[in-house]
Amino acid sequence: MLKGGRPVIGLGEQAQAALLSLLDRVPRLNIHSHTLEMHVDRDHRLDLVVDITAGGQDWTLVCEITSNGQPRHVRAALHEMDEYRQHNNSQWVSVLIAPYLSPQARKLCVDDDVSYVDLHGNARLIFGNTFIEREAAGSPAAEAREMKSLFKPKASQVLRVMLQDPARPWRVTDISEAAGVSIGHVSNVRNALLAREWASVVDGGLAISEPDQLLDAWAEDYEPPMGKRLRFYTPLHGSALQQAIGKVVGARAKGGTVVLASFSAAQWIAPFGRHSTQFFYCDNDGLERLVAELGLERTAKGENVAITVLKDDGLFRDTIMPAEGIRCTGAVQTYLDLSASGERGKEAAEHLRQEKLSW
């Protein structure tokens, strides 16, 4: 919040300009005055006050400006506004302004009967007979970058660990050990989850409170794991192919790491039709074993084996064994891969989610 500290340089002016520009578009609305940082008493000030007349009635827009529009910070801002709302007159209109307000943050404002404006173009102002609502497409570049950083490989390792049992409380050190990432990296993920209110602090540590919202956002911004993607053809079919696969993905397989992925993993976790292509994640040594055991030949088209040689081995940390001698990606990773695999993949992903990810 701007109160209690130095204002964010330029944000107040930007917030004022955004609100005035929006009001200027309303017919028969007159702006009489606008003041940044109006002092109420020695200890309190209002971030922005705008006096207007609309529909023959006077209104005072009392605005809070927050530099962070994530739900957790918005909730704090709304709580801050309650003190003034309890003592205002009927002509006061509470308005929250931020650089960007996510759909979840905007809903918090609506539920609390507070108008809002963000610098990205989203707005909802209600006073008297005036109703203004705008919804801007997409999100700002900075917000998009921040969201993508939450789903980068190291952060993804943290999320996959926690989503195995969302209600379980975790200490930062325990997550760090289980996910194989630094405590500092876990702390960054923790802060991002709390800011979006996808996680909460409970007795014993941090727990995922909104796993469905987290998974939805992840699927929307999902990028397949980095690695070399290769296409092959195998002459093996039926039981011969399954026996060969078992030799390279089994728990006792030696020489490299290989796991079933995507449709091939889903066939063991939550079967939903069959796919003619076998999908694998592996390391370099695992690739050599796959080529040898399955008799693979490189092909530019007509492949029936798709392999990604991973650049980072973090994904291998939370693989599962749905059946003896079979190792594959976990339910969350499999769901994400399916979601990015066209219409048929989306259908298989939703089936898997209903079967294995109904929290």
Side-chain angles (χ1 to χ4, degrees):
M1 299 299 298
L2 296 183
K3 294 180 178 57
R6 295 174 61 85
V8 177
I9 296 176
L11 180 56
E13 289 78 6
Q14 292 179 61
Q16 178 177 249
L19 178 58
L20 296 181
S21 175
L22 188 65
L23 295 173
D24 277 338
R25 302 179 185 183
V26 181
R28 296 183 294 279
L29 185 151
N30 296 315
I31 302 172
H32 302 300
S33 65
H34 44 87
T35 306
L36 279 170
E37 299 186 32
M38 176 180 287
H39 288 266
V40 178
D41 53 42
R42 290 182 57 186
D43 300 319
H44 300 89
R45 67 172 182 261
L46 303 175
D47 292 339
L48 171 64
V49 177
V50 180
D51 290 311
I52 63 174
T53 297
Q57 189 172 0
D58 294 330
W59 302 95
T60 298
L61 308 186
V62 180
C63 310
E64 287 281 339
I65 305 172
T66 176
S67 61
N68 192 320
Q70 294 298 340
R72 186 185 190 190
H73 298 276
V74 167
R75 196 180 295 278
L78 294 174
H79 178 73
E80 179 88 5
M81 298 173 77
D82 282 341
E83 178 181 347
Y84 297 100
R85 296 172 67 195
Q86 292 172 4
H87 300 93
N88 66 18
N89 59 50
S90 59
Q91 277 69 50
W92 276 30
V93 180
S94 298
V95 183
L96 179 68
I97 307 178
Y100 174 69
L101 293 166
S102 67
Q104 185 182 355
R106 283 175 250 157
K107 184 177 185 303
L108 289 175
C109 293
V110 173
D111 291 345
D112 211 35
D113 197 25
V114 169
S115 294
Y116 62 78
V117 174
D118 73 22
L119 304 186
H120 184 61
N122 298 296
R124 189 174 191 269
L125 292 174
I126 302 176
F127 46 88
N129 294 323
T130 300
F131 179 84
I132 306 169
E133 187 166 33
R134 293 177 56 192
E135 186 171 329
S139 59
E143 170 69 14
R145 286 194 301 270
E146 184 178 344
M147 185 69 78
K148 285 186 180 297
S149 70
L150 181 57
F151 304 126
K152 290 296 185 182
K154 293 298 183 184
S156 294
Q157 289 173 221
V158 174
L159 299 180
R160 287 196 301 269
V161 165
M162 297 190 70
L163 283 172
Q164 290 175 12
D165 183 4
R168 172 183 170 177
W170 288 85
R171 294 182 301 173
V172 169
T173 52
D174 293 335
I175 300 176
S176 173
E177 182 178 349
V181 301
S182 69
I183 290 178
H185 209 116
V186 174
S187 295
N188 290 338
V189 174
R190 176 185 184 276
N191 292 338
L193 292 174
L194 289 174
R196 290 168 173 79
E197 294 191 337
W198 291 340
S200 57
V201 177
V202 298
D203 289 342
L206 183 74
I208 302 295
S209 54
E210 297 292 344
D212 286 314
Q213 291 183 21
L214 170 57
L215 191 57
D216 287 342
W218 195 353
E220 184 174 343
D221 279 314
Y222 178 66
E223 294 181 355
M226 291 183 292
K228 183 167 57 176
R229 291 169 174 78
L230 306 171
R231 299 177 178 181
F232 292 93
Y233 175 80
T234 177
L236 300 180
H237 297 280
S239 60
L241 176 59
Q242 293 306 315
Q243 288 176 6
I245 290 174
K247 289 181 180 180
V248 290
V249 303
R252 298 180 181 178
K254 302 296 183 182
T257 303
V258 182
V259 299
L260 292 170
S262 189
F263 288 96
S264 300
Q267 190 60 35
W268 291 95
I269 300 172
F272 185 81
R274 291 189 175 274
H275 200 285
S276 58
T277 301
Q278 296 292 329
F279 296 84
F280 300 91
Y281 286 133
C282 68
D283 57 17
N284 286 311
D285 291 338
L287 175 61
E288 292 183 8
R289 297 191 64 249
L290 274 168
V291 170
E293 294 291 347
L294 275 63
L296 299 180
E297 297 178 1
R298 291 290 295 271
T299 181
K301 59 181 180 178
E303 74 276 5
N304 57 9
V305 174
I307 299 174
T308 300
V309 183
L310 296 178
K311 184 177 181 179
D312 185 284
D313 63 359
L315 187 146
F316 295 133
R317 295 185 64 91
D318 61 322
T319 55
I320 62 174
M321 292 192 67
E324 185 177 355
I326 295 296
R327 185 170 294 280
C328 66
T329 52
V332 169
Q333 183 62 43
T334 304
Y335 171 81
L336 294 170
D337 285 332
L338 291 172
S339 296
S341 300
E343 193 61 33
R344 187 177 178 187
K346 286 181 169 58
E347 293 175 357
E350 288 310 308
H351 175 72
L352 183 149
R353 187 165 180 170
Q354 292 174 11
E355 293 292 317
K356 300 296 182 180
L357 298 174
S358 294
W359 294 297

